[in-house]
Amino acid sequence: MKFDLKNLKLFPSVKQLILLVENHIGSNEKEAHKAASEFTHGFATPEVFKGAKNIRLQGALKQYNSVFDIPPGLYDTYADFGGLPGGLSNTSAIIQLRIEQGVGRRKQIWLTEGYEGRLWYYTFHTNEQSYNPEGWTYLPRIQEVWAGTAKTAGDILTLNQHMTHFKTIRVWYELDDGISRICQEFESNQSFNLREIDIFNGSAGANLFEIRVTRNSNTQLVITQNKAIGLDGKETTSNLRIRKIEGVA
């Protein structure tokens, strides 16, 4: 019996098979599968799969002139391009990037410095004016490293981790007649002097206070002096005391 597609009425089935093959393979013979996109189903590349699983793509991105040219995704890469904060541009430093694109083609970029762990954030609109702060925003990482009361010479403040983990420290202190605590910031892992003035101290004149704090080690500070002097030059009792220290990375 002669095989006849027309008599067997297979043309609709063949056309359907051809359509399925074209959708599967794509527009040319070199494509093994039709890639998925944000609008259509398809086969995922390793890059698409890693992005869906929040796995960073590793490797250099030297093909881009600026961080703002890099498409959305997660990257573990090197600072081989411009537009980066903190003097990182074109330094080849290890960085991690999270680049997101949202409504209105708004882009948000999260950057982590690989060595020091500092966090940076940048947001902008690519097709309209942005109402966010211009430029990169540094996101400080703040941790409490000590809490208590320290005011007497010889008092030791033992921190819960190395001061080398931080750029600065925030020292919270108070006076007996103070309404709220006050904060000053100092370079981390260094000795420092904390100074304050109390004008309305319940007596005539005003008092000047100074606590001197010495670094013993990466994790220990000691108060070496806590003095108060009135405007008349006479020494008086100091009611200045340290209550909390925070590390700022």
Side-chain angles (χ1 to χ4, degrees), residues 39-180:
F39 303 109
T40 62
H41 294 287
F43 290 84
T45 63
E47 289 75 18
V48 171
F49 176 84
K50 289 180 179 179
K53 293 293 186 179
N54 287 329
I55 301 173
R56 291 192 182 101
L57 300 178
Q58 297 183 341
L61 297 170
K62 292 183 178 181
Q63 66 271 36
Y64 299 103
N65 293 323
S66 169
V67 65
F68 305 115
D69 299 329
I70 300 174
L74 302 175
Y75 303 93
D76 192 350
T77 186
Y78 305 95
D80 293 328
F81 36 81
L84 300 174
L88 287 170
S89 293
N90 299 304
T91 61
S92 296
I94 296 174
I95 59 174
Q96 288 80 42
L97 292 172
R98 183 186 187 97
I99 303 176
E100 301 173 348
Q101 184 170 302
V103 178
R105 298 189 63 80
R106 179 178 61 182
K107 267 191 175 181
Q108 295 175 328
I109 303 177
W110 304 84
L111 185 153
T112 305
E113 295 185 35
Y115 179 71
E116 296 186 346
R118 287 194 296 175
L119 303 177
W120 299 86
Y121 174 73
Y122 193 107
T123 183
F124 66 97
H125 291 267
T126 56
N127 59 0
E128 61 185 52
Q129 182 180 0
S130 173
Y131 296 96
N132 292 280
E134 295 182 0
W136 287 93
T137 303
Y138 167 54
L139 304 177
R141 299 165 60 189
I142 302 171
Q143 288 185 306
E144 182 178 284
V145 295
W146 179 88
T149 300
K151 61 180 182 179
T152 305
D155 284 353
I156 294 176
L157 296 78
T158 301
L159 311 182
N160 60 26
Q161 58 182 294
H162 280 207
M163 286 189 287
T164 54
H165 296 169
F166 305 99
K167 291 290 184 182
T168 61
I169 58 171
R170 292 178 180 175
V171 180
W172 293 84
Y173 61 96
E174 63 185 4
L175 300 168
D176 279 340
D177 54 358
I179 298 175
S180 64

Side-chain angles (χ1 to χ4, degrees), residues 230-245:
L231 292 183
D232 57 3
K234 296 181 180 179
E235 187 172 325
T236 185
T237 302
S238 173
N239 57 11
L240 180 64
R241 53 182 178 250
I242 298 173
R243 296 305 307 277
K244 183 172 68 173
I245 298 178

